[in-house]
Amino acid sequence: MQLLRQILRRLFAGAEALFDWSFGPRWNPLHHLGGLGFFFYWIVLATGVHLYIGFDTSVTDAYTSVERLSRSAWFLGGVSRSLHRYASDALVIAMATHLAREFSLDRHRGVRWFSWLTGAPIIAFVYASGIGGYWLVWDKLAQYIAIASTEWLDWLPIFGEPIARNFLAPTSLDNRFFTLLVFLHIAIPLFLLLVLWLHLQRISRPRINPPIGLAAGTGAALLALALAFPATSQGQADLAVVPATIKLDWFYLPLYPLLDRWSYGAGWALLAVGGAVMAALPFLPPLRRRVVAEVHLDWCNGCGRCADDCPYAAITMGRRSDGLPFEAEAVVDGSLCVGCGICVGACPTSTPFRHGVDLVTGIDLPDPSLALLRERTHAAAATLQGSTRILVFGCDRGVSGRALASAGVTAVSLPCVAMLPPSFIDYALSRNLADGVLITGCSASGCYNRLGVRWTEDRIAGRRDPRLRGRVPRQRLAVCWPVLSEPRRVERELAAFAAGLERLSPAAA
């Protein structure tokens, strides 16, 4: 399992580097797979409503109405039909890529099991809706899918009478059955929207919309594809004749050729095994739980920054319970907390400058606590030698501190780099613990804790509290977010940073 994950991570790292070079990090599609999925869903929904207006729901006229939409008014109905088709395919691609990427980044275990498991119904609803859409065209492909699907469903002993009997002869299929198919094709996407809402319930600040530029470019690509290769029918269905040759949509219909060769029972077994494996992945092997964040009310003023910054909605603000003159207090849900420590970095009382009392914060991790982080920082800095002493703060899932250690470089690792309050950078430089500080961690788009890199950058840039003080010399601070396709990038950044520190004059220091 670990080998497969590593292979996928390297493939995605290479693809991300290529897309970063082609489109820029902001418009990299791999950074916005969830948002692109929603974008394709809205295109499918909008074009579906447009097509339904001109669609005849009767068996005899369904094919004719689709052809009329596609040919007589190609600039409206034809383009809508093609966009409907290609956006549906793009939704499958975005969904599959998103699933594989989350697995490769190991972002499916622990408390994230909920988002992973609620993704299974999403896959089922997308495929059920897509396959049902092919039925409604009622061409030869629809006939093939309808017969194969109903015979496959009839293999399960759950229906009073075989469904496939509706497709035995031209006179056996009536308008009521076809109207039921239309109803299901409308209802299933609406249920899908509900499941998508559930899927995001344990995610704070989910990205459900891609950047405007990426959405415009993707929409233009789909439109160009629709104009260059318009979706067409494959001849009207005739239940008296068995279709000889048909063209399949391999995004939605890859299982049907297997059903022609295997038994229907084998098809159900394949889906059952696949579903069982997907359901088991969050628990194989079990993820060792980190310690849960703890709230110390004596130092909590109820500001809510920890709740705002938590990537998993594990912190809420409750009514004050200790009598102090504040309106709220932080409350941690242990079943949702992953122990990333991002909340510690967000707390205004998390500062290493405090003396005379124990270093206790409004919210902290038992291990490593902020006090222990300060001790490790001093211990690491004590080993530094030379004229360019560099202190590296990184995360447990980033570049190994041992690989970076040298006479002039030492590293302190955190559960997530965003656990580091910006005041620690100020502390390390103002107390002469180091000549420079390098912040590193996961890649900018592959942060294990989703928002760690983003919050760290925003705090350093002064866009988010707690902000890095203006007195901190920016020449002595560097950040690096390497990807797996650039294994030596941190070493190169360190060398360049050290060279820059060497050139600094005493006045610049």
Side-chain angles (χ1 to χ4, degrees), residues 159-181:
F159 300 103
E161 295 184 2
I163 309 175
R165 66 182 179 85
N166 291 282
F167 302 95
L168 293 176
T171 57
S172 60
L173 184 63
D174 58 24
N175 290 339
R176 289 181 300 173
F177 187 84
F178 208 78
T179 301
L180 175 62
L181 297 181

Side-chain angles (χ1 to χ4, degrees), residues 40 103 119 205 257 272 355:
F40 297 139
F103 171 77
R205 290 181 173 82
H355 290 287

Side-chain angles (χ1 to χ4, degrees), residues 258-310:
L258 296 179
L259 293 178
D260 290 338
R261 294 178 177 271
W262 299 352
S263 67
Y264 291 126
W268 285 116
L270 178 63
L271 288 186
V273 171
V277 170
M278 183 175 178
L281 281 178
F283 314 102
L284 296 175
L287 184 67
R288 184 175 67 86
R289 283 291 303 274
R290 284 191 177 272
V291 293
V292 175
E294 297 178 346
V295 177
H296 304 289
L297 290 181
D298 288 347
W299 293 93
C300 175
N301 64 6
C303 67
R305 291 176 185 170
C306 56
D308 288 340
D309 283 10
C310 179

